[in-house]
Amino acid sequence: MTDRERYRTAFTVKVPEGAVQRALEKAHSSTKPRLRGAAPRMLLATALVVALLVTSVSAEINSGAVTNLLAPYFGSARTELLERFGRPVGASVSADGYTITADAIIGDRGCMQIIYTLTREDGQPIPEHVKFLDINYAIPGSNTSCSTVYPRQISSSPSKGRFYQKFFAEFGFSRTVRVSFGRLVACDDPDQELLAEGPWELSFVRRYPDTTRSVPVNGLTVTDQSGQSLHICTLSFSCLGLTITGTTESDVRQEPTASVTMKDGSVLPLDAGFSAEGSGPVWSFDCHARYRDQDGFGLLDPDNIAAITLCDVTIPVQ
């Protein structure tokens, strides 16, 4: 099945047989006969049918859409989490013999991750590792930042590569996402000869369930590897990892170590990004600690997290 067919399947509307007729009959039988009641009854029936269609569309989008689209590339281990937390995008653009497709989006209150496919249109293999020399984005929000995991060839489909972008915002994102990529080169080419110029520009609506859950910290203080004390103000976790804010009396920029312990006893280390601002004696900081597997992409099941470890302190999750 092609990507185009998967998108068509993901957004197919299926209304149960006879459902519209039953909605009309229900609307008719629930209203007493009135000399001038035809219009209200018709409006009610129309509203019921519209509600039914909306419910059906939502069920189709939220059940199997992302799994059907990405399972051939991610394998079965991730399909359940992708199904629960991801939403299909389907935005695509072509230039210079290459197509970039935004497949799915996953996120929480302060972070979102976008999954892309790079496809060589002539069917020939792309280099195992490629990168874009130009990456731009426009996502209105507060202090938005971005990191990109460059495309890697999909072994089962050598003409395609998978890559990801993570965006962080202090106070959330706007609904519209605009990204642009340009100048595709092979990573192992010392001369960085262009494979394609581009640009590839995409625009789509941000839409995903927010899985953020807050953890009470009650004046928690932890000590990092350098001996720096971090006073934790807020701590939350989601399917992507942890978000931490707090204060410190030191201007040392040491990323705190972080991990999550799952209910089966496994411990998953997280990659932490740390930023602080201020001029002393107190600096405020925020930290995003995200789970990343060997492919540069990772999802956590919030329901299966038993404890969170920050530096030298472990906090049980209720």
Side-chain angles (χ1 to χ4, degrees), residues 3-304:
D3 286 345
R4 182 179 299 275
E5 290 170 336
R6 291 190 180 97
Y7 285 118
R8 186 181 297 115
T9 300
F11 289 98
T12 298
V13 178
K14 296 180 180 178
V15 179
E17 184 177 355
V20 174
Q21 182 62 33
R22 289 196 298 272
L24 290 170
E25 292 173 352
K26 181 176 178 61
H28 179 77
S29 62
S30 62
T31 306
K32 294 181 179 180
R34 296 170 55 190
L35 292 176
R36 298 181 181 179
R41 284 199 301 272
M42 183 57 68
L43 288 175
L44 176 60
T46 302
L48 287 171
V49 172
V50 169
L52 173 63
L53 291 175
V54 169
T55 301
S56 177
V57 171
S58 177
E60 285 295 314
I61 292 176
N62 294 329
S63 178
V66 178
T67 297
N68 292 339
L69 189 63
L70 300 181
Y73 307 113
F74 282 97
S76 59
R78 300 174 184 161
T79 55
E80 181 181 352
L81 294 179
L82 285 168
E83 179 67 22
R84 290 170 57 188
F85 307 129
R87 292 296 179 267
V89 177
S92 184
V93 62
S94 299
D96 298 336
Y98 286 83
T99 296
I100 293 178
T101 301
D103 295 310
I105 186 169
I106 304 167
D108 58 25
R109 195 172 301 157
C111 175
M112 65 178 175
Q113 183 160 309
I114 304 171
I115 306 169
Y116 300 92
T117 299
L118 172 70
T119 302
R120 182 167 170 172
E121 295 173 359
D122 63 5
Q124 295 300 307
I126 64 173
E128 186 174 353
H129 298 280
V130 295
K131 65 180 180 180
F132 300 99
L133 298 182
D134 299 327
I135 299 176
N136 296 290
Y137 61 91
I139 308 174
S142 176
N143 299 327
T144 304
S145 60
C146 170
S147 65
T148 301
V149 177
Y150 291 122
R152 296 179 60 182
Q153 185 190 80
I154 300 172
S155 58
S156 60
S157 301
S159 63
K160 297 183 178 183
R162 180 76 64 204
F163 68 104
Y164 321 94
Q165 280 187 307
K166 286 185 178 179
F167 295 89
F168 304 92
E170 186 175 354
F171 298 112
F173 306 97
S174 69
R175 287 184 56 81
T176 302
V177 177
R178 294 184 177 89
V179 292
S180 175
F181 305 93
R183 296 196 295 163
L184 179 69
V185 300
C187 293
D188 55 0
D189 182 1
D191 298 326
Q192 293 192 333
E193 182 179 353
L194 284 179
L195 300 174
E197 179 73 29
W200 297 267
E201 298 177 344
L202 296 163
S203 179
F204 49 89
V205 175
R206 177 186 63 85
R207 187 181 65 89
Y208 51 77
D210 181 3
T211 60
T212 304
R213 303 182 187 182
S214 298
V215 178
V217 289
N218 301 322
L220 175 67
T221 296
V222 302
T223 304
D224 68 15
Q225 293 175 321
S226 67
Q228 175 180 226
S229 294
L230 303 175
H231 309 292
I232 310 302
C233 296
T234 64
L235 170 63
S236 62
F237 66 95
S238 72
C239 63
L240 294 180
L242 310 179
T243 299
I244 309 138
T245 66
T247 61
T248 179
E249 290 81 20
S250 172
D251 62 351
V252 177
R253 300 296 188 264
Q254 177 73 40
E255 285 84 2
T257 58
S259 65
V260 293
T261 302
M262 309 305 288
K263 291 181 179 179
D264 63 2
S266 59
V267 178
L268 304 178
L270 306 178
D271 290 338
F274 183 86
S275 63
E277 59 181 16
S279 56
V282 176
W283 283 260
S284 61
F285 71 86
D286 64 86
C287 174
H288 298 280
R290 302 302 175 188
Y291 175 53
R292 181 183 296 182
D293 61 15
Q294 67 273 13
D295 296 325
F297 171 83
L299 282 179
L300 300 170
D301 185 350
D303 293 332
N304 285 327

